[in-house]
């Protein structure tokens, strides 16, 4: 069975947790595409070359989850050559046998417009910054500034800007507990899959 769940949205909206839970619930494979851009951002040197030569080791290195790596990722992700180098791998993953969940910024709009389910997971900048601050600590005002800066860059770039696909189901998690958000996402996927064969 080929079945793609595309989950897009801004930083710290809950995409990662929802994606992992949906993948586990339906036995699908999961790809956190942000990790690809983070690995390119922290690798240094020419970002296009780093994207073309990305290795599994690059994706496993420490430090990919820091605020700095997020900023480096979003700068590298604005470059068309970087995005182009990562398209084929993501498309193959999305359409691989057995079902796949991909989370990122452009999965439903660019990488897999034919995805069977498209979700756009969002929340207010303040709520997202608070959640990220609980993970990384430090100065909450700085985390909020970082979230806003990255939103502006991701939504404003010319190449594959962050926006909901026209046919995406929007899940605003601002006032939801994470298990409610997961349940909402699982319900959308289950409705599209239909009843399991007897
Ligand atoms: O976890 P968080 O939402 O903070 O970030 P991420 O998903 O790891 O993505 C880091 C950065 O990579 C984003 O701010 C985007 O600039 C970029 N990215 C992208 O352009 N396209 C994707 N499909 C995934 C990430």
């Amino acid at each position: 069975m080929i079945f793609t769940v595309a989950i897009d949205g801004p930083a710290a909206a809950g995409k990662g947790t929802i994606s992992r839970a949906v993948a586990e619930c339906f036995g699908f494979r999961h790809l956190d595409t942000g990790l690809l851009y983070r690995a390119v951002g922290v690798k240094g040197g020419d970002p296009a070359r780093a994207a073309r030569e990305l290795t599994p080791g690059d994706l496993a290195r420490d430090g990919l989850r820091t605020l700095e790596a997020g900023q480096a990722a979003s700068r590298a992700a604005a470059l068309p050559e970087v995005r182009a180098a990562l398209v084929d791998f993501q498309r193959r993953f999305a359409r691989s046998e057995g079902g796949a969940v991909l989370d990122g910024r452009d999965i439903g709009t660019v990488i897999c417009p034919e995805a069977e389910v498209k979700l756009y997971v969002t929340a207010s900048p303040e709520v997202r910054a608070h959640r990220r601050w609980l993970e990384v600590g430090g100065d909450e005002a700085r985390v909020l500034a970082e979230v806003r800066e990255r939103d502006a860059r991701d939504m404003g770039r010319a190449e594959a800007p962050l926006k909901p696909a026209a046919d995406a189901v929007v899940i605003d998690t601002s006032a939801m507990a994470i298990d409610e958000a997961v349940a909402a996402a699982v319900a959308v996927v289950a409705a599209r899959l239909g009843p399991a064969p007897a």
Side-chain angles (χ1 to χ4, degrees):
M1 177 197 54
I2 307 291
F3 191 98
T4 309
V5 182
I7 304 187
D8 292 305
K15 294 188 308 285
T17 306
I18 291 172
S19 303
R20 282 189 297 276
V22 167
E24 180 159 0
C25 180
F26 297 100
F28 295 169
R29 297 202 301 150
H30 171 226
L31 179 65
D32 169 4
T33 65
L35 213 53
L36 305 174
Y37 294 91
R38 286 171 180 269
V40 169
V42 302
K43 199 160 178 183
D46 172 33
R49 182 165 181 194
R52 285 194 300 273
E53 296 176 357
L54 211 58
T55 64
D58 294 329
L59 301 178
R61 66 186 280 178
D62 290 339
L64 294 182
R65 293 275 160 218
T66 63
L67 295 182
E68 292 71 22
Q71 287 290 2
S74 108
R75 281 192 294 273
L79 304 172
E81 305 79 21
V82 167
R83 306 200 72 83
L86 300 175
V87 165
D88 284 351
F89 173 74
Q90 295 177 83
R91 285 206 175 129
R92 274 199 307 276
F93 190 100
R95 301 315 269 169
S96 61
E97 183 55 39
V101 180
L102 287 85
D103 72 283
R105 300 291 188 285
D106 64 340
I107 309 304
T109 49
V110 174
I111 298 298
C112 196
E114 70 273 40
E116 282 72 18
V117 172
K118 297 180 191 176
L119 302 176
Y120 189 83
V121 179
T122 189
S124 73
E126 290 76 11
V127 166
R128 291 186 286 118
H130 186 69
R131 289 182 189 154
R132 189 51 47 101
W133 173 75
L134 291 173
E135 289 169 9
V136 300
D139 173 8
E140 189 169 350
R142 176 169 167 252
V143 178
L144 176 59
E146 195 273 345
V147 160
R148 287 192 193 282
E149 188 186 330
R150 209 137 61 83
D151 281 358
R153 198 184 294 120
D154 290 350
M155 293 172 185
R157 70 188 175 210
E159 191 79 12
L162 170 64
K163 60 173 182 203
D167 52 350
V169 175
V170 177
I171 300 179
D172 187 326
T173 68
S174 301
M176 280 184 185
I178 192 63
D179 51 344
E180 284 177 81
V182 167
V186 165
V188 175
V189 177
R192 182 69 177 77
L193 270 172

